[in-house]
Amino acid sequence: MFHRAFAVLAVLFAAQAAQSAEVTGFALENGMEVVVLEDRRAPVVVHMVWYKVGAADEPRGLSGIAHYLEHLMFKGTKTTEDGDFSRIVSENGGTDNAFTSWDYTAYFQRVAADRLPLMMAMEADRMVNLAIDAAAMETERQVVLEERATRTENDPGSLFSEQRRASQFLHHPYGIPIIGWRHEIEEIGLEDLQAFYKAHYAPNNAILIVAGDVSPEEVRALAEEHYGPIPANPAIEMRDRIEEPPQLAERRLIFRDARVSQPYVVRSYLAPERDAGDQVAAARLNMLSEVLGGASATSVLGRALVLDQKVAVYSDAYYLGTSLDDTTFTMIAVPAEGVTLEEVEGAMDAVVADFIETGVDARQLERIKTQVRAALIYGDDNLSGLARRYGVALTSGLTVADVAAWPALLKDVTGDEIQEAAALLLDRERAVTGYFLPADEAEAEVLQ
């Protein structure tokens, strides 16, 4: 056992030594934030521009407009044609893409280091010169609607998730799907898109992240050349969203669909997010999710439900802590053959109650901390993953210092703190519980 543990630590230390990114942050005069993650191991860079606007910032009745605009950002500018952006990136040996979430919209390219000036020039161009016409808008609307049909409407699991989230957030816009509701996507107009673009796409609402074979001095010079001349938008203010009211009663929903082949039960709770300068509560919840969920052989739910009682074939717990506003803590259990959802839910409740009473096994906690540390180190070893970790954090209200402090905060969490966090959070009366069932197997007693 000693030699095995020593070998694991040796691998971790070696990986940590290999991960050599140096972090530098600064801002341009127009308010654009810049983060440089210097890593000289390969002559490549990841160039990302993150806008502090997402699905939760959309005007009421225009759900999906942030994601819709993301698509249109590839349709050309005043000086380029539709498709030129990705074609030029590809011709220069790179790859590019974009993604939208509730708190951000991001665009990225991975290219050879000497192509970085070209990437900045093109990204700066579409920050201010996007040319949207009616024909491109209608073409892309159909693409977005097809994406919704394929990824959501034709997938009962995605529909279930969409309904659960709408039940979780009664008032806050996190309850609205990122891709938007179909009937609202169909009504978004050209003026709506142009207004949303002008309102949110500006250097003082953006974060530039460059990771790879560059120096901070190089990035600063290029950023000042390409992004520096773009004027700030004085109308952009701090995001001030509505708050979710307190939950006063247990919420339950049953989703039935003939396409469901594997039933399961999901329970989610509103939970505090990681806050700038105050991430301790979030660190405890993160470790709680690792202790309850994670691998079946080491997690509390996995060992009890899957290995010992054999009432489930899969269980997990996860906490989405990097969020601008309150987030969720979720548990899931997939019943074994012959076990009802009511039975596996009852078993899950019993395991959680016992955990709150007895707490965390100290040796098991140390093993889990080692796994968490390994995951962070190996995750940072990937340039795109490292840049994305900073981008998600910074657009969610955190700072570079908060990102750097996170691993140590996780390491310092104690078993007693995890137990206390569980007792405070895991109250079924303040949760949303969902049953995912085939249409022909719904039972009346699940409502009890």
Side-chain angles (χ1 to χ4, degrees):
M1 180 64 73
F2 173 79
H3 292 294
R4 185 177 180 183
F6 183 81
V8 171
L9 288 174
V11 171
L12 285 178
F13 288 137
Q16 194 168 31
Q19 204 291 310
S20 55
E22 296 291 333
V23 184
T24 304
F26 55 90
L28 303 183
E29 288 187 8
N30 58 13
M32 188 175 196
E33 299 173 54
V34 184
V35 176
V36 182
L37 306 169
E38 184 177 0
D39 186 333
R40 299 291 190 168
R41 289 177 295 168
V44 297
V45 294
V46 172
H47 171 261
M48 308 187 84
V49 172
W50 297 70
Y51 292 96
K52 290 183 277 188
V53 60
D57 303 298
E58 296 167 335
R60 190 171 180 84
L62 295 177
S63 66
I65 194 170
H67 172 255
Y68 193 171
L69 180 60
E70 175 216 308
H71 278 242
L72 289 167
M73 286 287 283
F74 293 87
K75 304 302 285 186
T77 68
K78 295 175 182 178
T79 59
T80 62
E81 299 295 327
D82 181 3
D84 279 359
F85 195 106
S86 294
R87 176 184 58 79
I88 293 171
V89 173
S90 179
E91 288 175 350
N92 281 270
T95 57
D96 75 315
N97 214 324
F99 47 87
T100 304
S101 187
W102 283 279
D103 294 323
Y104 53 78
T105 309
Y107 303 84
F108 69 92
Q109 305 86 40
R110 181 182 175 91
V111 293
D114 62 355
R115 300 300 193 272
L116 179 59
L118 177 61
M119 298 303 105
M120 282 203 191
M122 292 196 301
E123 200 67 81
D125 177 43
R126 68 176 174 179
M127 180 181 285
V128 288
N129 293 321
L130 183 65
I132 309 173
D133 59 37
M137 180 191 72
E138 291 304 329
T139 298
E140 213 58 33
R141 188 197 310 274
Q142 297 311 309
V143 173
V144 172
L145 290 171
E146 179 60 27
E147 183 179 336
R148 176 172 171 85
T150 302
R151 298 185 180 181
T152 303
E153 293 159 2
N154 293 338
D155 179 1
S158 294
L159 286 173
F160 179 46
S161 178
E162 188 174 79
Q163 293 298 306
R164 285 190 295 107
R165 194 167 186 97
S167 300
Q168 186 87 65
F169 295 96
L170 297 182
H171 191 50
H172 193 281
Y174 283 166
I176 299 172
I178 293 169
I179 198 167
W181 301 113
R182 172 174 283 272
H183 67 284
E184 293 187 348
I185 299 169
E186 291 173 338
E187 296 300 322
I188 293 173
L190 182 59
E191 290 184 358
D192 298 322
L193 288 158
Q194 291 171 333
F196 192 79
Y197 172 69
K198 292 177 181 177
H200 299 288
Y201 279 58
N204 54 320
N205 203 39
I207 300 169
L208 169 64
I209 299 180
V210 180
D213 189 17
V214 289
S215 69
E217 294 75 20
E218 291 174 293
V219 173
R220 183 187 290 272
L222 288 171
E224 288 178 345
E225 177 185 353
H226 296 290
Y227 295 109
I230 303 173
N233 180 351
I236 290 176
E237 300 177 348
M238 291 284 291
R239 289 184 281 186
D240 184 18
R241 297 178 182 157
I242 56 176
E243 293 185 14
E244 182 70 11
Q247 182 174 342
L248 303 178
E250 179 181 13
R251 299 172 195 161
R252 301 181 70 85
L253 77 149
I254 301 167
F255 185 91
R256 304 182 181 99
D257 194 297
R259 298 168 292 180
V260 174
S261 58
Q262 177 60 71
Y264 56 85
V265 59
V266 181
R267 166 98 41 80
S268 56
Y269 309 78
L270 275 184
E273 76 283 4
R274 291 169 60 183
D275 287 325
D278 185 14
Q279 302 181 93
V280 173
R284 294 171 182 176
L285 290 175
N286 194 94
M287 292 308 301
L288 174 62
S289 73
E290 296 290 342
V291 170
L292 288 180
S296 293
T298 58
S299 67
V300 170
L301 289 174
R303 283 182 296 161
L305 301 180
V306 178
L307 300 181
D308 296 341
Q309 300 177 34
K310 294 181 171 48
V311 295
V313 294
Y314 174 79
S315 65
D316 201 359
Y318 47 93
Y319 167 65
L320 306 174
T322 312
S323 175
L324 189 65
D325 299 317
D326 279 352
T327 183
T328 55
F329 185 101
T330 305
M331 299 185 298
I332 181 172
V334 180
E337 187 175 357
V339 178
T340 68
L341 292 187
E342 188 175 37
E343 289 169 341
V344 78
E345 182 189 4
M348 182 175 71
D349 284 338
V351 171
V352 170
D354 181 69
F355 174 77
I356 291 173
E357 181 68 26
T358 60
V360 186
D361 178 273
R363 289 179 297 180
Q364 196 73 349
L365 178 57
E366 287 308 309
R367 283 193 286 269
I368 290 170
K369 284 185 176 182
T370 299
Q371 294 168 358
V372 170
R373 183 183 177 195
L376 287 171
I377 291 172
Y378 290 130
D380 287 355
D381 199 46
N382 178 281
L383 280 182
S384 296
L386 179 63
R388 183 162 183 158
R389 186 158 75 91
Y390 276 87
V392 171
L394 297 177
T395 51
S396 300
L398 299 175
T399 66
V400 170
D402 292 321
V403 177
W406 183 243
L409 290 173
L410 295 177
K411 179 178 179 294
D412 291 342
V413 173
T414 68
D416 288 344
E417 290 169 341
I418 294 172
Q419 185 180 7
E420 181 183 1
L424 289 172
L425 181 73
L426 303 181
D427 179 356
R428 179 168 153 170
E429 296 304 310
R430 291 183 291 144
V432 175
T433 303
Y435 278 21
F436 187 59
L437 286 164
D440 59 348
E441 291 187 13
E443 300 175 351
E445 59 263 35
V446 298
L447 291 171
Q448 299 175 358

